[in-house]
Amino acid sequence: MHIPDGFLDTKTWVALTAVSGTAIAVSLKQTGKTLGEKQVPVMGITAAFIFAAQMINFPVAGGTSGHFMGGVLAAILLGPYTALLVMATVLIIQCLIFQDGGVTALGANIFNMGIIGAFGGYFIFSVLRKFLKNDKGFFVSAFAAAWLSIVIAAAACSLELSISGTVPLKTSLIAMTGVHALIGIGEGLITVAVLSFIKKTRPDLLES
Amino acid sequence: MKKIIIAGFLAAIIIAVFISPFASKHPDGLEKVAEDKGFLQKGEGKELFNAPVPDYSMPGIKHETIAGSIAGATGVILVFALAYGIGFCVKSKGRKVERSKKKLT
């Protein structure tokens, strides 16, 4: 769902760049307070894994593909602030080195996949965890948060495109959320698979 | 800890180098909707600059799969370095002990 240059008008991309820039500044500050020495390599690995996994487009219905986003996975592993930095890192390299996502749309892409994925996804996960407490609840919450984060990000993307005058909301909203409801299943499955692997091999990484 | 760093890094490299050639070539969700709803052309030729490795294909390499795999490995290394670097700079403001203290309480 990387938005290219040309899809967003100036007011929309400037506003979203400001929002994402602020969120990154806050996250740098918060991460400085909480990030332990041992978590620095985990941050690097999480970002590298998410970048690699985002290259793997899997087919969904009707000649469309989708790929893993990773915001919820990163947030469960590292907390939402560090996760936002991880997502921003991936999106900045994708944009500047691989022309995946526009430069003007970078703020919007960080908003949709980073802020909604990491902050929004983590919020959903935390709320669900209050009701679903055991191990099974952990994975159910992670799956639901991952799925919802994709669908909400797709809706936000539609909204941004309509505010920009690119395509009316009623034209794109159902199409965007519909296809991403399918892609979100992949997101949930990959998130749960990686978390269960980590829980088996390095449960200490999931303690906090 | 070293083990998991190496294992995680290798996993990312393996995905980017050996699994990425099997990725679906279909347009992604947004691209497909843009195509169907007729606004895909709004993004054509609007790029602000030419990225060094466009579309995850290393330029100058004729073999498409190899060009993609090298691009993937390059990306993994760059992303790892940048994220590690950010983490290193941010944490090095000196809070080494705090976290371990917190865990005890």
Side-chain angles (χ1 to χ4, degrees):
Chain A
M1 129 177 37
H2 294 58
I3 302 172
D5 285 317
F7 274 22
L8 299 176
D9 68 351
T10 311
K11 67 169 189 307
T12 308
W13 74 252
V14 169
L16 288 166
T17 303
V19 172
S20 292
T22 310
I24 289 172
V26 171
S27 296
L28 282 169
K29 209 166 169 221
Q30 291 297 324
T31 299
K33 286 181 193 163
T34 56
L35 194 76
E37 181 100 47
K38 280 190 172 174
Q39 282 176 304
V40 175
V42 181
M43 192 178 163
I45 293 296
T46 306
F49 173 80
I50 288 173
F51 172 84
Q54 286 203 3
M55 287 184 76
I56 314 302
N57 283 62
F58 49 83
V60 292
T64 313
S65 73
H67 62 69
F68 182 59
M69 188 167 84
V72 171
L73 175 68
I76 292 173
L77 285 174
L78 293 159
Y81 296 108
T82 310
L84 179 73
L85 299 181
V86 163
M87 295 307 288
T89 302
V90 171
L91 288 161
I92 287 167
I93 298 284
Q94 285 172 334
C95 166
L96 297 181
I97 310 292
F98 299 100
Q99 207 124 44
D100 193 8
V103 178
T104 55
L106 184 57
N109 286 325
I110 292 176
F111 182 85
N112 296 343
M113 291 179 259
I115 297 180
I116 292 176
F119 289 0
Y122 192 75
F123 177 75
I124 297 164
F125 174 77
S126 308
V127 170
L128 290 174
R129 277 296 270 162
K130 294 211 169 95
F131 303 98
L132 306 163
K133 288 199 166 138
N134 54 13
D135 263 18
K136 201 176 161 196
F138 172 80
F139 291 116
V140 171
S141 303
F143 183 94
W147 183 82
L148 263 172
S149 73
I150 299 288
V151 176
I152 296 169
C157 181
S158 278
L159 193 64
E160 291 151 14
L161 293 174
S162 85
I163 293 169
S164 299
T166 299
V167 60
L169 189 62
K170 58 176 185 192
T171 311
S172 71
L173 185 64
I174 293 187
M176 275 298 280
T177 49
V179 68
H180 285 91
L182 294 174
I183 296 171
I185 297 172
E187 181 79 18
L189 291 175
I190 297 170
T191 303
V192 166
V194 174
L195 287 173
S196 70
F197 177 77
I198 293 170
K199 215 173 172 82
K200 272 187 199 128
T201 52
R202 287 297 303 268
D204 55 306
L205 290 176
L206 292 171
E207 266 168 18
S208 54
Chain B
M1 201 58 192
K2 258 187 190 156
K3 256 190 206 162
I4 197 163
I5 298 165
I6 295 164
F9 188 78
L10 280 180
I13 290 280
I14 288 167
I15 294 167
V17 172
F18 297 106
I19 302 181
S20 74
F22 300 101
S24 166
K25 299 282 189 285
H26 286 306
D28 76 357
L30 174 60
E31 242 180 304
K32 177 70 175 167
V33 172
E35 220 175 86
D36 290 350
K37 307 296 178 191
F39 61 92
L40 191 63
Q41 79 286 351
K42 289 198 180 179
E44 274 163 19
K46 294 283 169 62
E47 299 88 358
L48 288 195
F49 77 114
N50 294 316
V53 192
D55 299 320
Y56 301 92
S57 183
M58 191 57 88
I61 294 165
K62 281 190 188 139
H63 196 292
E64 201 186 318
T65 308
I66 297 172
S69 294
I70 294 177
T74 309
V76 166
I77 293 165
L78 286 174
V79 167
F80 177 81
L82 183 59
Y84 191 102
I86 291 171
F88 186 82
C89 293
V90 172
K91 72 91 200 162
S92 69
K93 278 174 188 161
R95 310 254 176 160
K96 266 185 202 172
V97 211
E98 211 164 86
R99 191 165 182 92
S100 47
K101 266 186 190 163
K102 257 185 201 165
K103 269 188 179 166
L104 291 176
T105 52

